[in-house]
C-alpha cells in the first residue's frame, strides 16, 4: 500500500534551492570574467607605480609644510609673540579679514583687454596690463517713494459699444472717448457729465488725439478715415485719405504741426497741419 499524504518527486529542487544555485552560478561566471579581462592590469607597471609614489610623497610634504606653524619657541620667539600670531584672524573666503564692503579690493578688467594670466595680471602681450585693482563701492538700494494708492472716483457709461480710444485735453477740462458705436463723446473731467456727442464715422473709432496748440480733435477708425474736428464749430473741417484699410492709431508731434497715422494696411502716413 502507498502512504497517504503529499508526494515529493525525487530529483526536483524547490524554489529556494533554485534561487541559491542561480546566484552561485552568476557569481562564479562574474568572477571568471573579471579574472580573464583584468588579470593583466591587476597591478600597475613598475614605472607608473614609482611615479604615483613620488606624487603622493610631494603632496604629503606640501601638506606638512602648510600645517607647520609660522614660528615656534625653538626659533627664539617669545610666548607673547606666539600668542599674538595665533590671535590673527584667518583670511575670509571672499576677501581680506576684517574688511568691510567699502574697503574691499576687486579686480576690474580694462575695456578691450582679456582676463589676466597668472598672478601678474598681464595680457597676451608682454608688459601690457589687462586689469587693475579698484575699491569696491557700497551698493545702496534705492527705495521707491511711497504714494497713496489709486482710488476709483466714478464710473462713466453712455457708449453702446466697446470703448476703443481715450484722449485727455491738455488743459484738463474735458476728455473724449471713441467706441464701437461709431460716436465720439466729450465728457467733463471734473463732474463726469456728457458735454457733446460727435457723429460722422461709419465704423468703430480706433484713435483720438487732441491738439495742444489748436482747437482741433483728430480721430481715426476702421472706415479708413482720418478726420479733423473743429471744436469751436463741432464739425469736420478736413479728411485725410490714403489708407487702404482700417486706421488703428494716430499721434500728434509734441512741437511741430505733424500728424502720424498707422493702419492695418501696414503703412504709417505723415500729414502736415500747416494747410489748415
Amino acid at each position: 500500500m502507498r502512504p497517504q499524504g503529499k508526494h515529493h518527486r525525487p530529483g526536483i529542487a524547490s524554489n529556494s534551492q533554485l534561487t541559491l544555485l542561480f546566484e552561485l552560478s552568476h557569481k562564479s561566471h562574474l568572477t571568471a570574467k573579471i579574472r580573464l579581462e583584468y588579470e593583466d592590469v591587476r597591478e600597475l607597471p613598475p614605472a607608473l607605480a614609482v611615479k604615483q609614489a613620488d606624487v603622493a610623497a610631494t603632496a604629503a610634504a606640501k601638506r606638512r609644510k602648510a600645517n607647520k606653524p609660522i614660528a615656534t619657541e625653538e626659533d627664539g620667539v617669545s610666548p607673547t609673540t606666539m600668542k599674538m600670531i595665533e590671535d590673527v584672524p584667518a583670511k575670509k573666503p571672499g576677501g581680506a579679514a576684517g574688511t568691510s564692503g567699502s574697503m574691499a579690493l576687486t579686480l576690474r578688467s580694462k575695456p578691450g583687454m582679456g582676463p589676466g594670466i597668472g598672478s601678474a595680471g598681464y595680457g597676451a602681450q608682454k608688459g601690457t596690463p589687462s586689469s587693475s585693482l579698484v575699491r569696491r563701492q557700497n551698493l545702496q538700494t534705492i527705495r521707491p517713494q511711497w504714494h497713496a494708492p489709486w482710488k476709483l472716483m466714478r464710473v462713466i457709461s453712455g457708449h453702446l459699444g466697446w470703448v476703443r480710444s481715450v484722449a485727455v485735453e491738455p488743459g484738463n477740462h474735458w476728455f473724449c472717448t471713441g467706441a464701437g458705436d461709431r460716436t465720439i463723446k466729450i465728457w467733463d473731467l471734473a463732474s463726469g457729465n456728457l458735454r457733446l456727442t460727435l457723429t460722422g464715422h461709419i465704423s468703430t473709432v480706433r484713435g483720438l488725439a487732441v491738439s495742444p496748440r489748436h482747437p482741433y480733435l483728430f480721430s481715426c477708425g476702421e472706415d479708413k478715415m482720418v478726420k479733423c474736428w473743429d471744436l469751436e464749430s463741432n464739425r469736420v473741417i478736413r479728411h485725410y485719405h490714403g489708407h487702404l484699410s482700417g486706421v488703428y492709431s494716430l499721434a500728434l508731434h509734441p512741437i511741430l504741426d505733424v500728424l502720424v497715422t498707422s493702419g492695418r494696411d501696414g503703412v504709417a502716413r505723415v500729414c502736415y497741419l500747416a494747410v489748415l
Side-chain angles (χ1 to χ4, degrees):
M1 294 181 64
R2 295 183 181 178
Q4 306 235 352
K6 296 183 180 180
H7 300 280
H8 296 277
R9 296 181 180 179
I12 299 178
S14 61
N15 292 335
S16 59
Q17 293 177 348
L18 289 175
T19 303
L20 181 59
L21 291 175
F22 176 77
E23 291 179 357
L24 293 176
S25 175
H26 180 69
K27 185 176 181 180
S28 301
H29 175 72
L30 186 60
T31 304
K33 183 177 180 180
I34 293 175
R35 184 181 296 110
L36 290 175
E37 292 184 2
Y38 301 103
E39 184 69 24
D40 297 336
V41 292
R42 187 174 181 179
E43 296 181 358
L44 291 175
L48 185 58
V50 172
K51 185 176 180 180
Q52 286 195 354
D54 294 341
V55 172
T58 304
K62 288 183 178 180
R63 286 195 298 270
R64 287 194 299 270
K65 185 176 181 181
N67 296 331
K68 182 180 179 181
I70 299 175
T72 60
E73 295 182 359
E74 298 177 356
D75 300 330
V77 181
S78 62
T80 305
T81 306
M82 289 283 299
K83 181 65 175 176
M84 294 174 60
I85 294 175
E86 293 176 357
D87 291 341
V88 174
K91 185 178 179 181
K92 296 181 179 179
T99 58
S100 61
S102 60
M103 300 299 294
L105 297 178
T106 181
L107 191 65
R108 182 180 66 182
S109 298
K110 293 185 178 181
M113 303 297 293
I117 300 177
S119 60
Y122 285 84
Q125 297 180 359
K126 185 176 181 181
T128 304
S130 63
S131 59
S132 59
L133 286 174
V134 295
R135 292 195 180 277
R136 183 187 304 166
Q137 299 179 356
N138 282 332
L139 300 178
Q140 298 180 357
T141 304
I142 300 176
R143 300 184 62 181
Q145 185 178 2
W146 183 90
H147 60 80
W150 294 95
K151 182 186 293 185
L152 179 64
M153 295 180 60
R154 64 177 59 89
V155 177
I156 301 174
S157 60
H159 282 287
L160 301 178
W162 290 5
V163 180
R164 295 288 191 174
S165 57
V166 180
V168 180
E169 185 257 338
N172 295 328
H173 296 296
W174 52 269
F175 68 96
C176 56
T177 57
D181 56 2
R182 306 185 299 271
T183 62
I184 301 171
K185 294 183 180 292
I186 298 178
W187 311 82
D188 186 83
L189 189 60
S191 62
N193 297 328
L194 179 63
R195 283 189 178 186
L196 182 67
T197 299
L198 302 175
T199 59
H201 283 279
I202 60 175
S203 188
T204 303
V205 180
R206 282 285 188 168
L208 293 171
V210 183
S211 175
R213 293 176 299 277
H214 309 288
Y216 296 151
L217 169 66
F218 298 90
S219 64
C220 63
E222 296 180 4
D223 52 6
K224 312 176 190 178
M225 294 184 182
V226 179
K227 297 178 181 291
C228 176
W229 303 79
D230 187 354
L231 298 179
E232 293 180 348
S233 59
N234 298 330
R235 64 185 181 86
V236 179
I237 60 175
R238 179 170 291 276
H239 291 86
Y240 297 91
H241 303 281
H243 282 284
L244 303 178
S245 186
V247 187
Y248 279 72
S249 62
L250 53 79
L252 284 168
H253 195 281
I255 301 175
L256 305 177
D257 291 337
V258 175
L259 174 69
V260 183
T261 61
S262 61
R264 194 175 176 182
D265 53 359
V267 299
R269 302 182 68 86
V270 180
C271 306
Y272 294 92
L273 311 181
V275 297
L276 298 178

